[in-house]
Amino acid sequence: IHTFAPLRSVWTQNHQRRAATTPPEQRIRFVDFDDLDSWEAGTRDVAELFRVEVGPNQPFPEPLRRAMQRHGMGENVTMSFQDHWDICDPEATKENAIARVCAHFGIARQEVLALGDSLNDAGMLEWAGVGVAMGNASPHAKQAADYVSAPCAQGGFAKALQRFVGGEA
């Protein structure tokens, strides 16, 4: 994960600390850049995921959008947490991943239950036969979902599984 991060989020700090005790083959490798020019120069054609860490509710930086356009990176910009924007290859989406797994195993789209809570989950929730957003989900995730469960901290995930898999009405 290549991160343009003058501001290091709690998420990144926690993952970087955990990496020290994680087996090498399971580690997320972070490369941090503190200015946009070095991020742009050092990232092109290297990283699988670009991350731009920001304060809560800040818009996506226009200089970065222009850099993405210059390099033909597409427009797959999502937010998985409130303090960073994620930029991936346009094909690297959760809905594309689920579609490929389902095609491989012969599972119909209508049979898929997807659960999520962030902007980067919205496409997956919309694609699935049943999309469930957690009660604490982003507005985009809730709008894409067929059903909104309780917040995660109140057992929303388990309640959704009980309702749609366990047979409870």
Side-chain angles (χ1 to χ4, degrees), residues 37-99:
D37 291 337
S38 63
W39 179 86
E40 185 177 351
T43 299
R44 186 150 191 259
D45 299 325
V46 177
E48 295 176 12
L49 172 66
F50 309 127
R51 175 157 290 144
V52 180
E53 301 203 15
V54 296
N57 302 315
Q58 287 186 338
F60 191 77
E62 275 308 309
L64 190 52
R65 189 176 306 282
R66 289 191 295 276
M68 290 169 57
Q69 289 170 345
R70 278 196 305 277
H71 297 297
M73 293 171 66
E75 284 289 322
N76 186 5
V77 178
T78 63
M79 184 173 269
S80 54
F81 294 97
Q82 71 173 353
D83 58 6
H84 61 255
W85 291 95
D86 292 335
I87 307 161
C88 300
D89 182 278
E91 294 297 312
T93 63
K94 291 183 179 186
E95 61 269 24
N96 285 346
I98 289 178

Side-chain angles (χ1 to χ4, degrees), residues 19 21-29:
T21 59
T22 302
E25 66 277 4
Q26 296 175 6
R27 286 184 190 151
I28 296 174
R29 190 171 75 84

Side-chain angles (χ1 to χ4, degrees), residues 18-19 34 48 62 73 112 143 148:
R18 278 193 290 259
D34 290 316
E48 295 176 12
E62 275 308 309
M73 293 171 66
V112 174
Q143 183 177 0
V148 177

Side-chain angles (χ1 to χ4, degrees), residues 97-109 111-112 127:
I98 289 178
R100 289 182 181 167
V101 169
C102 289
H104 178 79
F105 288 105
I107 300 168
R109 178 179 178 173
E111 296 178 76
V112 174
W127 183 89

Side-chain angles (χ1 to χ4, degrees), residues 7-28:
L7 169 68
R8 302 290 191 268
S9 74
V10 171
W11 185 92
T12 295
Q13 291 172 26
N14 287 341
H15 274 70
Q16 288 174 325
R17 277 193 294 276
R18 278 193 290 259
T21 59
T22 302
E25 66 277 4
Q26 296 175 6
R27 286 184 190 151
I28 296 174

